[in-house]
Amino acid sequence: MQSFQHGEFTDFIQWHDMDGNIINASDGGVIYAEGKYHWYGMALRPLGEGTDGTGGEVTDTGVVMYASEDLLNWQYEGVILPCTDIEGHPLCAPMRFERSKIIYNEKTKKYVFWCHYVKCPGDHGVADGTAEAGVAVCDRVNGTYTWVGTHRPIDRDGAVKDMTLFKDADGTAYLIYDRREVDAEKGRAIHIVKLTEDYLSPTDTYRKIDEAAVREAPAVFYHDGYYYMITSGVTGWAMNRAKYFRTKDLMSEWEDMGDPCVGDGADITYASQTTYVFKVEGEDRFIHMAERHNRENFLHCAYVWLPIEFGENGTLCLKYLKEWK
Ligand code: GAL
């Protein structure tokens, strides 16, 4: 592939790996490690095998990874966190690893994986085992990750929904997640929780980001004095307007900055939902990864990757490009 291809908002352009297969890495992220970019996510199960496209999609396979040097051409590297067929095992298929994210821990020299874990059967409720943060770990970026277990940070009254990880320059890492109170009347907001030094558990240090109430799909990154968080609204797989927040201190107030998108399609984030933001290695450039969900056939969702533009006074802008290099 020579350039990123997104087409019209109504297009679902397929992105193939170097073996010619459709890239199937739902809701994941990209990590630069061992000299390459690694793109990972949940491998969705094909339509017609018990999925109806509502309330989240499932996997029989697990989490997969692809590697690339140019961000356009991706080599399939295989399953890094496999499902099993052992009844009662936490990874017994079918199940879900939603919003998978991986960061590297310099102290323990391990790659640490977190996701919104949903066992099956179990839909997007608040029941035990269906709204947890799941953790896995590996010595190699593309090795087979070992399942560590699940957490509900802060307390069990808060279900874990969409989430992301953020590693700060000093090596401190955070879980940022949509906490939905089990008692629905108590509401829902993005929370930020500091992780332990090994990144395997949440600590008691957290902040409820009241400014980001009823938001999901958070992606957090740092640029030139500000921490930014881009989020979506809460409308399931239906597209909605993005909104971003910024702060100079992760554990203090976040400023509501409005919609980073402009022009046609801004009201639906150009028919996509944020997945992750990563920095281009060695450059002061960031890419916003999003997914154009295809409820008719989740294997034909499209990945919409756009460059983030930094404006004056710490503002962000995400312009739609049908094609770009
Ligand atoms: C989306 C959410 C996804 C998934 C989906 C299920 O809004 O961002 O991660 O949970 O809802 O309906």
Side-chain angles (χ1 to χ4, degrees):
M1 196 153 111
Q2 301 299 315
S3 56
F4 296 101
Q5 300 285 340
H6 304 314
E8 307 290 339
F9 305 148
T10 43
D11 288 344
F12 292 96
I13 294 183
Q14 302 303 297
W15 197 341
H16 293 88
D17 68 16
M18 288 163 81
D19 300 322
N21 298 312
I22 291 176
I23 293 179
N24 183 6
S26 171
D27 285 344
V30 165
I31 180 171
Y32 185 82
E34 299 170 15
K36 286 181 182 171
Y37 295 95
H38 298 266
W39 179 4
Y40 54 84
M42 171 171 63
L44 298 173
R45 160 164 98 163
L47 205 70
E49 292 181 25
T51 59
D52 65 359
T54 55
E57 285 300 297
V58 301
T59 184
D60 286 330
T61 309
V63 180
V64 293
M65 187 173 266
Y66 300 81
S68 173
E69 287 173 10
D70 63 7
L71 294 171
L72 290 168
N73 298 291
W74 294 89
Q75 185 67 56
Y76 182 61
E77 298 201 285
V79 183
I80 58 161
L81 183 55
C83 293
T84 78
D85 52 11
I86 305 165
E87 285 288 323
H89 188 283
L91 307 189
C92 184
M95 55 152 304
R96 298 186 203 138
F97 300 94
E98 288 206 345
R99 308 262 157 203
S100 306
K101 300 291 172 269
I102 297 173
I103 52 175
Y104 181 63
N105 188 309
E106 266 97 16
K107 285 192 185 136
T108 61
K109 307 244 177 295
K110 291 193 190 299
Y111 292 89
V112 181
F113 166 102
W114 284 66
C115 70
H116 164 205
Y117 167 83
V118 185
K119 75 177 178 195
C120 267
D123 207 328
H124 273 236
V126 292
D128 283 356
T130 67
E132 320 287 324
V135 183
V137 70
C138 192
D139 294 333
R140 296 290 308 273
V141 67
N142 58 359
T144 305
Y145 285 64
T146 305
W147 186 248
V148 178
T150 60
H151 293 284
R152 264 196 194 177
I154 306 170
D155 59 43
R156 296 219 48 93
D157 294 340
V160 177
K161 310 310 268 183
D162 282 2
M163 52 132 278
T164 194
L165 295 177
F166 174 71
K167 186 169 118 180
D168 210 349
D170 67 357
T172 311
Y174 301 84
L175 170 74
I176 296 100
Y177 75 105
D178 168 22
R179 176 180 155 108
R180 178 170 153 199
E181 298 295 331
V182 171
D183 174 354
E185 291 197 352
K186 291 194 178 153
R188 172 170 195 173
I190 304 276
H191 283 60
I192 177 165
V193 182
K194 188 174 161 190
L195 299 183
T196 49
E197 279 199 12
D198 59 10
Y199 303 170
L200 298 179
S201 311
T203 67
D204 295 335
T205 306
Y206 74 92
R207 184 175 197 277
K208 178 182 182 199
I209 307 178
D210 285 307
E211 305 82 348
V214 201
R215 303 296 300 171
E216 58 183 10
V220 175
F221 62 102
Y222 176 85
H223 181 259
D224 207 10
Y226 283 109
Y227 298 93
Y228 294 94
M229 176 167 69
I230 303 181
T231 65
S232 76
V234 180
T235 55
W237 296 120
M239 309 308 173
N240 55 51
R241 192 183 285 280
K243 187 187 255 200
Y244 76 103
F245 301 83
R246 72 174 187 192
T247 185
K248 289 196 178 259
D249 171 357
L250 284 169
M251 288 294 174
S252 77
E253 269 177 41
W254 289 69
E255 195 181 346
D256 182 340
M257 299 295 291
D259 189 352
C261 301
V262 288
D264 280 356
D267 57 326
I268 49 167
T269 317
Y270 311 128
S272 67
Q273 186 185 25
T274 300
T275 314
Y276 196 55
V277 172
F278 68 91
K279 188 177 168 300
V280 178
E281 192 57 21
E283 294 182 35
D284 189 30
R285 294 203 288 173
F286 291 78
I287 293 180
H288 177 263
M289 297 170 67
E291 259 169 65
R292 182 167 290 158
H293 297 125
N294 187 338
R295 287 193 276 180
E296 303 290 309
N297 179 353
F298 265 75
L299 279 188
H300 289 189
C301 290
Y303 302 103
V304 180
W305 291 18
L306 295 172
I308 291 184
E309 285 182 23
F310 296 96
E312 302 216 329
N313 306 319
T315 55
L316 295 187
C317 183
L318 208 55
K319 288 186 188 139
Y320 192 67
L321 301 170
K322 290 183 195 168
E323 182 191 349
W324 67 286
K325 280 199 183 188

